[in-house]
Amino acid sequence: MNVSKSGYRVFSANSTTACTELINELVSSHLTLHLNPQCVFVFCGGGFCLFFSFSETRVDVKESVRGQDIFIIQTIPSDVNTAIMELLVMAYALKTSCAKNIIGVIPYFPYSKQCKMRKRGSIVCKLLASMLAKAGITHIITMDLHQKEIQGFFSFPVDNLRASPFLIQYIQEEIPDYRNAIIVAKSPSAAKRAQSYAERLRLGLAVMHGEAHHSELDMVDGRQSPPFSPPSTRTTQGHTGLELPLMMAKEKPPITVVGDVGGRIAIIVDDIIDNVEDFVAAAEILKERGAYKIYIMATHGLLSADAPRLIEESAIDEVVVTNTVPHEVQKLQCPKIKTVDVSMILAEAIRRIHNGESMAYLFRNIAVDD
């Protein structure tokens, strides 16, 4: 059999325990059902990536990958920049080794929050997309991008998988009396996602309004900058420019909950849970409004800083996240954190892409707002 046409390999991009566990789950539990004898799996622990004392990453491909489909699985630990550089070096090494296709399996795409222009900053997510393309990546499999428009930054195909079927299944199987629950959006911007969950579970919907997020304020995106004046027109009195109508400054309204949560289980849904202050504040408000249990469902559990301690001390009963991001340490610090395995859909995506099959099956009955 022509290996260059039928073979594919899966590499683990980093040596973190969580990444090794994820690739082991993919290979042993799912992909073995579809493998052929030509499939070989090389792990980072087997000598793929070597680290020098000066924190340089060296990649040594031990076997020929010429003409094959290569899948690089990279979870993103707390040291984000090291993980990104490791992925870039690996992709470039495989590119120069004449791999046919290099597919990055990046369940949580880093820098996805920096996908909008803020003041005099930059759209870092677009920069990362360009770097991946330059390094040799030809396709990406990811999950629940922070903004779906991020796919437009890439010059190659992006499969943005959804974790909502797994989280909905968890709600149905693990939350007692979930029929008495109500889906909550902790801000109006999250209402579409919450509405999609509510419609699938046949539950009510509540939206929290108030305490605008600082990242969304007009003051940070450059709209308050003075207009540019050429040097010849500048004076010591100040600049000259167009007289634009002044907008009234925003004022934070008091937090209100649109919807009845009294005597119900409140389930807050979101895509990322990082700094948990907003979630803790939302849980306190919901408790005051009569909710007797608070659950948080999110795809990516970054849980940075002292998030485990804040969750443990809060009114939140349980935080449910997927294994797209390593969070084993946080789970040891806070027993309220639970994990849902999504390796099944990642493995199926790998199999379908290699075999040239349609990906539509993985998106069946999934709305755009999920």
Side-chain angles (χ1 to χ4, degrees):
M1 184 178 291
N2 190 340
V3 175
S4 64
K5 292 184 178 180
S6 61
Y8 75 98
R9 304 187 183 190
V10 177
F11 290 96
S12 174
N14 61 46
S15 56
T16 62
T17 304
C19 189
T20 305
E21 289 178 355
L22 179 60
I23 193 172
N24 280 331
E25 187 70 21
L26 283 169
V27 174
S28 62
S29 300
H30 305 296
L31 289 178
T32 50
L33 298 175
H34 311 288
L35 294 182
N36 57 61
Q38 281 70 35
C39 297
V40 181
F41 297 87
V42 184
F43 295 87
C44 188
F48 190 87
C49 294
L50 301 177
F51 295 91
F52 287 153
S53 58
F54 290 100
S55 299
E56 294 182 0
T57 301
R58 175 182 175 181
V59 172
D60 184 15
V61 184
K62 296 296 186 181
E63 299 182 26
S64 174
V65 295
R66 183 179 295 272
Q68 297 190 27
D69 293 336
I70 305 299
F71 295 85
I72 306 175
I73 298 179
Q74 175 65 299
T75 58
I76 303 299
S78 56
D79 191 356
V80 178
N81 294 334
T82 299
I84 292 173
M85 193 63 199
E86 188 179 69
L87 178 61
L88 293 172
V89 174
M90 277 190 72
Y92 190 66
L94 293 166
K95 176 183 177 181
T96 54
S97 298
C98 300
K100 180 181 178 182
N101 295 303
I102 304 171
I103 300 96
V105 183
I106 314 172
Y108 168 67
F109 194 79
Y111 287 100
S112 59
K113 284 188 173 182
Q114 298 191 47
C115 60
K116 296 180 181 179
M117 179 64 74
R118 296 297 179 195
K119 209 171 183 180
R120 294 177 180 85
S122 60
I123 305 177
V124 184
C125 192
K126 186 177 188 303
L127 170 65
L128 182 55
S130 301
M131 292 168 64
L132 291 172
K134 189 68 175 178
I137 297 285
T138 59
H139 196 143
I140 274 185
I141 302 172
T142 187
M143 182 166 284
D144 282 342
L145 287 171
H146 185 56
Q147 298 288 341
K148 296 176 181 62
E149 292 78 9
I150 290 174
Q151 296 176 75
F153 293 159
F154 295 88
S155 57
F156 49 78
V158 177
D159 285 309
N160 182 26
L161 304 177
R162 306 291 196 274
S164 55
F166 299 91
L167 296 176
I168 289 173
Q169 183 181 28
Y170 184 93
I171 293 172
Q172 293 172 326
E173 296 179 356
E174 301 296 333
I175 298 181
D177 195 23
Y178 83 92
R179 290 292 182 187
N180 190 38
I182 185 169
I183 305 298
V184 180
K186 71 178 180 66
S187 65
S189 60
K192 285 187 176 181
R193 181 186 299 272
Q195 180 182 359
S196 179
Y197 275 70
E199 290 175 352
R200 293 182 185 282
L201 292 165
R202 311 299 194 265
L203 299 176
L205 174 67
V207 180
M208 303 186 70
H209 175 61
E211 290 295 323
H213 297 288
H214 295 292
S215 61
E216 298 295 331
L217 292 180
D218 293 340
M219 294 296 291
V220 300
D221 65 0
R223 277 180 256 183
Q224 302 297 323
S225 300
F228 172 75
S229 300
S232 58
T233 63
R234 291 177 187 167
T235 66
T236 57
Q237 305 298 324
H239 62 81
T240 60
L242 298 175
E243 299 240 355
L244 300 176
L246 296 177
M247 294 293 292
M248 184 177 296
K250 287 184 178 180
E251 186 174 331
K252 293 181 182 179
I255 293 182
T256 57
V257 180
V258 182
D260 182 16
V261 298
R264 298 204 180 176
I265 301 171
I267 304 175
I268 303 175
V269 297
D270 213 333
D271 61 329
I272 299 174
I273 175 170
D274 188 0
N275 298 319
V276 299
E277 286 86 355
D278 291 343
F279 291 93
V280 170
E284 292 177 356
I285 295 296
L286 292 172
K287 277 287 186 182
E288 293 175 2
R289 299 294 193 277
Y292 69 92
K293 276 193 176 181
I294 312 287
Y295 288 82
I296 295 177
M297 316 291 294
T299 304
H300 310 295
L302 306 186
L303 302 169
S304 60
D306 57 349
R309 179 184 62 82
L310 294 175
I311 293 171
E312 187 66 26
E313 297 173 354
S314 71
I316 299 170
D317 291 281
E318 199 167 276
V319 174
V320 182
V321 294
T322 70
N323 57 342
T324 57
V325 177
H327 54 267
E328 294 306 314
V329 174
Q330 291 89 332
K331 287 181 68 176
L332 293 175
Q333 298 172 351
C334 177
K336 292 182 179 180
I337 300 173
K338 308 297 180 182
T339 306
V340 174
D341 180 30
V342 294
S343 60
M344 179 192 305
I345 193 171
L346 294 173
E348 183 63 14
I350 290 173
R351 189 192 68 81
R352 286 176 173 271
I353 288 175
H354 171 67
N355 293 331
E357 299 176 18
S358 172
M359 298 287 284
Y361 177 78
L362 303 183
F363 296 94
R364 70 192 189 283
N365 299 325
I366 292 180
V368 176
D369 297 330
D370 280 9

